[in-house]
Amino acid sequence: MVVTTDAKNWRGLFSDVFGLLFALAWATRGAQAARLPLVPVLLVIALVSLPLLAGFVHRDIILRHPEVPGDRELMRKVKIMRIVLITAASWWAHATHHMPLFLPLLGIVIGLSYLPLGKALNEPVHYVVGSAIVSVSVLSFLLQEPLHMEVAGFGTAIAIWLGCVARLWRSGIVFRSPSGAALPQ
């Protein structure tokens, strides 16, 4: 849903930047588990993340077409519950000496939190991204170390990046012709 406001949407941009940083962290963790050289990995991450960041800046700050929450109370509850569950997962992983399982648990918590956010924002892309992150995280539990971190890391990052592309596309920001007109959707 495209909405134009008079105000720049710094809060929405901050949330999108946090999502891109989350994808960066996951991709970096997957690359470390795969023992890939850091510099080329960071270049690939930058080639993916910077255009997405530019799209979100363009949408939220320049065009002022933010994703408008339909249910701010639900968003607040989801954010609080996300913090509580991440803290609990971290405590459990540390207390039981299962720290390698923390990141897949984190992926499940974050993925599940996308589902009510999809409802709060009336954005179906969040349902797909959340389901993909949960699926990748659960699949990674079935794999041996370090493969489970490679799958969780790269899978989560790719799901987030594709979700960002889909959200920008639905906002009319990406996939423009050279004349600047949006391509048919």
Side-chain angles (χ1 to χ4, degrees):
M1 175 164 117
V2 177
V3 175
T4 303
T5 66
D6 291 332
K8 295 178 180 180
N9 186 20
W10 292 104
R11 179 180 287 175
L13 180 61
F14 176 73
S15 180
D16 294 326
V17 167
F18 181 76
L20 290 173
L21 289 173
F22 188 71
L24 178 145
W26 277 97
T28 303
R29 183 62 188 114
Q32 288 172 337
R35 300 183 197 276
L36 296 176
L38 187 60
V39 172
V41 168
L42 291 177
L43 287 174
V44 170
I45 291 170
L47 286 173
V48 173
S49 298
L50 291 177
L52 293 172
L53 176 60
F56 286 125
V57 167
H58 188 71
R59 181 191 72 186
D60 293 339
I61 305 303
I62 297 169
L63 295 179
R64 299 177 184 173
H65 290 260
E67 290 176 323
V68 178
D71 189 344
R72 290 188 190 275
E73 182 63 21
L74 178 58
M75 284 188 64
R76 187 183 70 75
K77 288 177 182 177
V78 168
K79 290 177 181 180
I80 291 169
M81 188 54 72
R82 184 189 286 172
I83 291 168
V84 168
L85 291 175
I86 289 170
T87 302
S90 173
W91 176 85
W92 176 84
H94 188 275
T96 62
H97 307 289
H98 287 97
M99 284 310 289
L101 297 179
F102 172 66
L103 288 177
L105 284 172
L106 177 63
I108 290 171
V109 168
I110 296 296
L112 288 174
S113 73
Y114 269 75
L115 303 177
L117 286 178
K119 181 179 179 183
L121 289 167
N122 194 25
E123 178 55 77
V125 171
H126 288 306
Y127 297 122
V128 175
V129 172
S131 298
I133 292 171
V134 169
S135 298
V136 164
S137 297
V138 169
L139 172 67
S140 73
F141 275 118
L142 304 174
L143 303 172
Q144 296 295 316
E145 181 75 36
L147 186 58
H148 88 274
M149 279 315 307
E150 294 172 29
V151 169
F154 290 128
T156 299
I158 290 168
I160 292 169
W161 288 328
L162 290 176
C164 290
V165 169
R167 288 174 46 230
L168 288 169
W169 182 31
R170 286 177 47 82
S171 297
I173 303 303
V174 294
F175 304 118
R176 295 192 177 273
S177 69
S179 67
L183 296 176
Q185 296 183 13

